[in-house]
Amino acid sequence: MEYALLGWPDEGPTLRLDHERFSYAGKFVMSNTGKAVAREEPGGAGDTGGADADEEYDRPVAAVAFNEDRTDPTTAWLRYVTVRADRRGEGVGARLAAFATERLRDRGYDRVRIAVNNPFAFHALSKAGFGFTGEETGIAELVLERPGERTRETYQAGLDVFRDRDLSEREESFLNEKAGERPPDPLESP
């Protein structure tokens, strides 16, 4: 897997993703956010190859869009993280979030935040080293940040917010599996 920074927000990078395989695909053609991707190595299993292959369109496995906080120049936000449907659950999104966060920290941001709307994303970002802040957005998303507090209590507090919502059977089962656990150990950034 290759992880790459496509550009910073002021450079106006865009990325075409297949809307049938990626959630939020339309958000990545916008040029007002920075972009990073995880993509198949050339000639790898997911590379369709051939002279007609569109490398930008065919090789991405995951993508993240990010920008600076509008009110705090020391904070950046990961705005969208998406993983190709056939690769979800492999840790690619968490590794990409960690990769993008390290690039943002290298660029001088003190902290990186993200708002998530489901327990699977909450867990994945916990694997990327983020901790729950105890805050929610106005649209019922939980705010996580890195660096952040990563204790059993803060992890469970975030999961408890989801437990109080109308959930799918899959989400309920996932939350039951995580009851009482500590946050997952952060994955190493690629």
Side-chain angles (χ1 to χ4, degrees):
M1 191 72 53
E2 173 185 48
Y3 293 82
L5 178 70
L6 299 182
W8 298 100
D10 60 343
E11 297 169 338
T14 62
L15 177 65
R16 288 185 321 129
L17 297 172
D18 181 345
H19 71 278
E20 293 180 356
R21 298 189 299 169
F22 289 93
S23 300
Y24 309 114
K27 301 294 185 183
F28 289 86
V29 295
M30 306 299 288
S31 62
N32 61 342
T33 58
K35 312 280 187 312
V37 296
R39 56 188 171 211
E40 301 285 355
E41 295 285 349
D47 184 11
T48 58
D52 296 335
D54 183 337
E55 186 169 304
E56 175 187 38
Y57 193 69
D58 293 332
R59 289 182 44 221
V61 173
V64 61
F66 54 85
N67 64 346
E68 185 174 288
D69 186 282
R70 291 176 186 93
T71 61
D72 180 358
T74 67
T75 300
W77 282 83
L78 301 184
R79 294 295 178 187
Y80 298 97
V81 179
T82 187
V83 178
R84 200 172 66 200
D86 65 326
R87 299 297 295 271
R88 292 180 185 145
E90 296 178 17
V92 177
R95 283 185 183 86
L96 178 59
F99 171 84
T101 297
E102 288 182 16
R103 301 297 78 73
L104 288 160
R105 298 286 305 239
D106 291 347
R107 189 150 172 135
Y109 293 99
D110 294 336
R111 66 182 172 172
V112 177
R113 300 183 112 193
I114 186 167
V116 299
N117 62 8
N118 67 73
F120 305 115
F122 180 88
H123 182 71
L125 273 295
S126 295
K127 286 196 285 187
F130 284 76
F132 180 45
T133 64
E135 299 173 36
E136 291 184 55
T137 68
I139 53 175
E141 296 174 320
L142 278 61
V143 178
L144 291 89
E145 69 181 10
R146 184 173 163 194
E149 188 175 340
R150 295 181 35 79
T151 64
R152 180 188 325 265
E153 293 74 25
T154 57
Y155 180 68
Q156 288 300 318
L159 294 177
D160 286 346
V161 173
F162 290 113
R163 287 184 179 101
D164 289 338
R165 297 183 179 176
D166 186 24
L167 303 172
S168 69
E169 192 174 300
R170 187 169 162 245
E171 289 171 318
E172 284 183 16
S173 176
F174 179 81
L175 289 171
N176 288 337
E177 290 173 18
K178 302 301 176 199
E181 289 189 5
R182 297 186 55 74
D185 291 334
L187 299 171
E188 290 203 23
S189 175

